[in-house]
Amino acid sequence: MTTQFSWTKQWYPIIPLNYLDILNPTSITLLGKKLVIWRDKNLKWIVMDDVCPHKLVRLSMGTITEDGNLMCRHHGWCFNGEGKCTKIPMLAGSQAEVTACDSLRSRVTTYPTQVIQELLWVWPDDSSTAFEDCNSKQPATIPESELDISSSSWQMTEVPVSYTVSVESTFDPSHAEFLHEGIGLFSPKTAVPMEYFESVGEISAQEGFTLKHQGYNLFNKEMEATRKFTPPCSNTTIYRYPNGKTNIFQLYFVPTQPGCCRYIGKLISDGSSVKSNNIKQLFFSSIPQRGLPLVKLYGSNKKIYE
């Protein structure tokens, strides 16, 4: 029996808080949908469709007013955190303004949001029950551990690689010695076969899957790794080393538009040999030494997901 998976009825981490501007709106794309992020008068982060219902101008080009509303740059229409139009300058003070502002046609669709672990999460479903439905699931956050998850900051980048290729690649650790040659200690000369690589437990469209494997080079071959994929886009990898040290690498693959993906990740380390600057290079720069950008390496892929 096949379980139907809804791509919109999910929590997505769309941006780290340290990438947001509290004074100006931010434009972002998720699942092919253009959204605008801004902070209202209650200091709450709002995510809504990036389009003014008047002339379909992008609201991310506008400004946040002193009274905490988002103003469209084209004609000055203003909207509050619930998406309701609050001001139409060319109808100011008239009954026509009241009528227009109360109309459903002047509203902008907003989406449920929450802030957890310094990430802004959004539930990108525009159905009438979205704010109720979003309570049925929890975001795939960094699991509890003895490590200090605030010890490092989130990194984010956009890459011209599809969601499918991104997820497949991160669950194929044997590529590291070759694809990332020249970063840290990675080199084809140090590659070794993994002693084991196996799935653990059930594989589910709703709950994801877990993989376990050992190291793949001469320097980490005794390392044990557990990789957990939680739909729609979370890869939590826990590395355990023979010396008792542990690292957690949390990585999200956020599908933005066909053939493109947003990577958001951080390394939480207790001092083992894996260096955070090397991890940053692995996932937040173009492919490396021979000047091959990601799009050339993987080719053109026009699907967001399969």
Side-chain angles (χ1 to χ4, degrees), residues 92-112:
S94 66
Q95 182 58 44
E97 181 184 32
V98 174
T99 301
C101 287
D102 286 341
S103 171
L104 293 177
R105 295 175 60 188
S106 68
R107 294 186 69 90
V108 180
T109 299
T110 61
Y111 300 91

Side-chain angles (χ1 to χ4, degrees), residues 194-209:
M194 288 182 284
E195 289 295 321
Y196 67 86
F197 184 93
E198 59 189 17
S199 62
V200 179
E202 297 183 358
I203 298 176
S204 163
Q206 301 300 325
E207 302 299 326
F209 58 86

Side-chain angles (χ1 to χ4, degrees), residues 20 25 52 107 162 257 272 304:
L20 287 169
C52 178
R107 294 186 69 90
S162 75
Q257 55 190 336
S272 65
I304 294 180

Side-chain angles (χ1 to χ4, degrees), residues 250-300:
Q250 181 66 44
L251 185 61
Y252 297 102
F253 300 98
V254 184
T256 54
Q257 55 190 336
C260 295
C261 201
R262 181 179 308 118
Y263 292 1
I264 301 174
K266 71 155 63 181
L267 173 74
I268 302 102
S269 173
D270 67 356
S272 65
S273 60
V274 179
K275 296 181 180 180
S276 60
N277 62 325
N278 288 338
I279 294 293
K280 182 177 178 180
Q281 281 184 281
L282 295 180
F283 294 96
F284 304 106
S285 63
S286 294
I287 306 295
Q289 213 156 342
R290 297 183 179 85
L292 274 178
L294 286 163
V295 70
K296 293 293 185 182
L297 181 69
Y298 290 118
S300 177

Side-chain angles (χ1 to χ4, degrees), residues 15-22 45 114-121 154:
I15 195 169
L17 295 187
N18 57 306
Y19 280 76
L20 287 169
D21 184 344
I22 63 173
W45 289 106
Q114 57 179 312
V115 173
I116 304 179
Q117 295 181 347
E118 298 301 309
L119 291 173
L120 177 62
W121 300 76
W154 291 103

